[in-house]
Amino acid sequence: MTGTGSSRRTFIAGAGAAAAAVGALPVVASTPAAAAITTAPAPNGRRVAVLGGGVAGLTAAHELAERGYAVTVYERRALGGKARSMDVPGSARGGRRPLPAEHGFRFIPGIYHNLPDTMQRIPFPGNPHGVWDNLVAPREMMFARAAGREDLRGPIPWPEHSPAELTPDELRRALTGILQSLLRLPLHETAYFVDRVLVFLTSCDERRTEVWERTPWWDFVRAAQMSHEYQRILAVGVTRNIVATKAEEASTRTVGTLGEAFVFNLLGRGADGPPDRILNLPTNEAWIDPWEAHLRSLGVEFRIGWTVREVQYGSGRVSGVAVEGPDGARQTVVADHYVSALPVEHARRTWSTALRAADPMLGRCDKLETDWMTGIQFYLTERAPLVHGHLNCIDSPWSLTAIQQAEHWPARNFPADYGDGTAVDCLSVDVSEWDKPGILYGKTAKQCTREEVAREVWAQLKASLNDTGKTLLSDSKLHSWFLDPGVDGLGTPHPTNQDELLIHPVGTFHNRPTAGTRIPNFFLSGDYVAVDIDLATMEGANASARAAVNCLLDRDASAAARCTVRPMYRAPEVESARRHDAWRYRLGLRNVFDLG
């Protein structure tokens, strides 16, 4: 197997519009003594520097540009951030496209509302609803188990479980049916887990914030007393593989919020679409490149290869932002407003001491934690008969999840359109656990070299999928592999990851900042900002950017319409139970469904 580095295809659509908008930049001075570049003002006379070009930054730019602001986005690497796809260098032959790779496979479930709204406003040729029409729903999912144990496969969604009224009794029946038909756990374990779900669903906001936020999910579902399957699927599976944090540490409030949304989605309530949705093309083709083109047509400017070094503070405001250009020269960006849209681990390094002193909330962000969850792609010369959707290797030491992508890209003929014409599929795998020994070398993923990581992941996939007498994955059908280039230094004492993921240990919620700060022209967006969806998600990034723009509009006393920020769905039938629980909580009583 071989691995390669990264690149990003340049998307040129909309370049004409970009040239027309070049006058709408923030002022840039190369040194403090240099004369500022004179630029034309925006239609409303206001200029905004957006720091970071991931989902949060592009969303903020989108909303601001629609409201007449002149926006420039500063991005050190490539637009799209962790959501982007990329090319495998040197993989194209005979006029074909390079093989597509990614940080990790995209998953846009029906519980999202804000991100889909943005996608509908991004034009795409032939699509009446823009990029949103590029979402497709996989037909099924699978829990792949090792050591010869039966794999668990289920359709998505389960239309038979759609009660007309979501009373606690109907919820209990529906959830029991789903779990029993899909997971086949011991009946007493299913009954207990459903009771725990009902406890959370009917818990008031105070109990969630003050009690469940400080209770590990592992303890909440009493995983230590349950079977291996219960632990791997209902404790570890929904935390390590989806929320990318450890069940023993993960906040019940965070995990429960995700679970609540998916429960209602599965039962046909409060959803934008099916529970499982992916894009019908590589992410940049289906979404990021059309988004860039549309933003350019709105006048947004992009500065790719520019690294934010310091957000400077003076006279009660952000006075400028020190950036480093592609040539390594330091410059200062000056604008009317600044939106920090960098991931938290990068953003907090740019906040000067004076800026932090102006708003102590920024200092609390130092307590937020990140962890590794990184993708690797395996290109196959023959399609493997796995599953028509996502698979979760629940017994794999490195907590692997994966999806075969070619069948979900109907507009592309994989061997004819990509690579050298011999790779027919891409098995995209997310590695969620980087600190446990593997089965091949007995080393953690961080201790392995890139080559060893690829071989170890491949071995764990085969252990989960080839363990029942059928060879679903064969070495002879493996064309090549590609490991996210954001990971570096593997096999050395100091491995690094440029794209860590926010995790949610107990108490995390109380350290998340708001979109508006005490600095009048400085705003925060990113999945670490406190919004209704308490998760490291593209939906959280999108919602936080909308909240940041609304704060900016308020500070500017703008007459422009505020961004819509859709909250997570709350079933009306459950609200009376939540009100009852609020009364019980204030009296020091347990939730009515909490039997211990």
Side-chain angles (χ1 to χ4, degrees), residues 259-547:
E260 177 180 41
F262 273 104
V263 164
F264 290 138
N265 194 175
L266 288 169
L267 299 178
R269 292 294 193 89
D272 180 75
D276 188 0
R277 294 184 302 188
I278 58 177
L279 291 163
N280 64 0
L281 289 166
T283 307
N284 273 38
E285 292 185 49
W287 175 24
I288 302 301
D289 289 346
W291 202 0
E292 177 186 350
H294 181 58
L295 294 182
R296 288 187 185 276
S297 76
L298 295 176
V300 175
E301 285 289 334
F302 295 97
R303 292 291 178 262
I304 310 301
W306 293 54
T307 302
V308 177
R309 293 302 183 190
E310 182 181 7
V311 180
Q312 300 164 340
Y313 180 80
S315 301
R317 301 170 60 83
V318 170
S319 57
V321 174
V323 298
E324 187 176 293
D327 60 357
R330 286 284 185 111
Q331 302 186 9
T332 300
V333 172
V334 179
D336 297 297
H337 298 288
Y338 305 83
V339 178
S340 178
L342 300 170
V344 66
E345 69 274 19
H346 298 299
R348 58 195 177 198
R349 291 199 295 263
T350 70
W351 299 338
S352 64
T353 301
L355 189 78
R356 288 167 171 263
D359 191 344
M361 175 183 72
L362 299 177
R364 292 203 300 273
C365 292
D366 292 339
K367 298 180 180 179
L368 297 176
E369 299 181 34
T370 59
D371 203 351
W372 290 36
M373 185 176 187
T374 303
I376 181 170
Q377 288 77 52
F378 295 95
Y379 303 96
L380 309 177
T381 58
E382 183 176 300
R383 292 190 180 178
L386 303 181
V387 61
H388 301 292
H390 290 96
L391 67 90
N392 185 327
C393 300
I394 62 174
D395 294 322
S396 58
W398 290 1
S399 295
L400 307 180
T401 51
I403 189 168
Q404 289 175 274
Q405 295 182 315
E407 69 172 292
H408 304 292
W409 296 343
R412 291 280 177 260
N413 184 317
F414 207 98
D417 290 348
Y418 295 108
D420 60 7
T422 61
V424 304
D425 208 345
C426 172
L427 179 61
S428 188
V429 185
D430 279 355
V431 181
S432 297
E433 175 57 76
W434 286 76
D435 295 305
K436 287 186 178 179
I439 63 174
L440 194 60
Y441 299 104
K443 297 190 292 186
T444 71
K446 292 177 183 176
Q447 293 169 336
C448 291
T449 64
R450 297 178 74 86
E451 177 85 19
E452 289 171 339
V453 166
R455 291 184 180 277
E456 179 71 55
V457 172
W458 186 250
Q460 292 186 31
L461 287 170
K462 291 191 296 183
S464 292
L465 297 166
N466 294 351
D467 61 321
T468 56
K470 296 181 180 180
T471 303
L472 302 183
L473 288 181
S474 169
D475 292 347
S476 64
K477 302 300 188 294
L478 180 57
H479 175 278
S480 57
W481 56 268
F482 181 89
L483 176 61
D484 182 2
V487 173
D488 197 13
L490 292 177
T492 74
H494 304 289
T496 60
N497 187 344
Q498 296 186 54
D499 299 296
E500 295 191 24
L501 201 65
L502 183 74
I503 59 173
H504 309 84
V506 292
T508 295
F509 173 77
H510 303 286
N511 295 320
R512 295 171 71 115
T514 58
T517 73
R518 294 184 183 181
I519 299 99
N521 63 338
F522 186 60
F523 310 90
L524 305 179
S525 66
D527 58 17
Y528 68 97
V529 174
V531 291
D532 200 48
I533 184 167
D534 181 24
L535 298 164
T537 60
M538 295 183 294
E539 174 76 351
N542 184 277
S544 70
R546 291 166 180 246

Side-chain angles (χ1 to χ4, degrees), residues 82-139:
K82 291 188 283 287
R84 78 194 189 284
S85 59
M86 62 197 85
D87 299 336
V88 177
S91 62
R93 299 286 189 278
R96 299 178 185 85
R97 299 166 182 260
L99 289 170
E102 56 198 355
H103 165 73
F105 54 75
R106 296 300 94 218
F107 171 50
I108 305 173
I111 67 173
Y112 291 1
H113 290 282
N114 296 290
L115 185 68
D117 172 74
T118 296
M119 298 177 85
Q120 292 193 46
R121 291 153 45 206
I122 303 171
F124 192 91
N127 288 0
H129 301 103
V131 164
W132 185 85
D133 286 334
N134 289 339
L135 294 174
V136 294
R139 303 193 315 238

Side-chain angles (χ1 to χ4, degrees), residues 123-176:
F124 192 91
N127 288 0
H129 301 103
V131 164
W132 185 85
D133 286 334
N134 289 339
L135 294 174
V136 294
R139 303 193 315 238
E140 58 182 350
M141 64 173 293
M142 182 171 74
F143 292 100
R145 303 194 292 185
R149 285 180 289 185
E150 181 184 4
D151 295 334
L152 306 174
R153 187 187 302 252
I156 302 174
W158 292 267
E160 64 270 22
H161 297 299
S162 297
E165 187 176 9
L166 298 182
T167 63
D169 284 344
E170 288 291 348
L171 282 168
R172 187 189 303 276
R173 279 193 286 269
L175 292 174
T176 300

Side-chain angles (χ1 to χ4, degrees), residues 198-218:
L198 287 175
V199 168
F200 189 84
L201 291 180
T202 59
S203 287
C204 62
D205 291 338
E206 294 90 340
R207 194 185 300 275
R208 293 184 181 200
T209 301
E210 297 171 17
V211 179
W212 302 143
E213 170 62 21
R214 303 188 184 281
T215 303
W217 178 251
W218 183 270

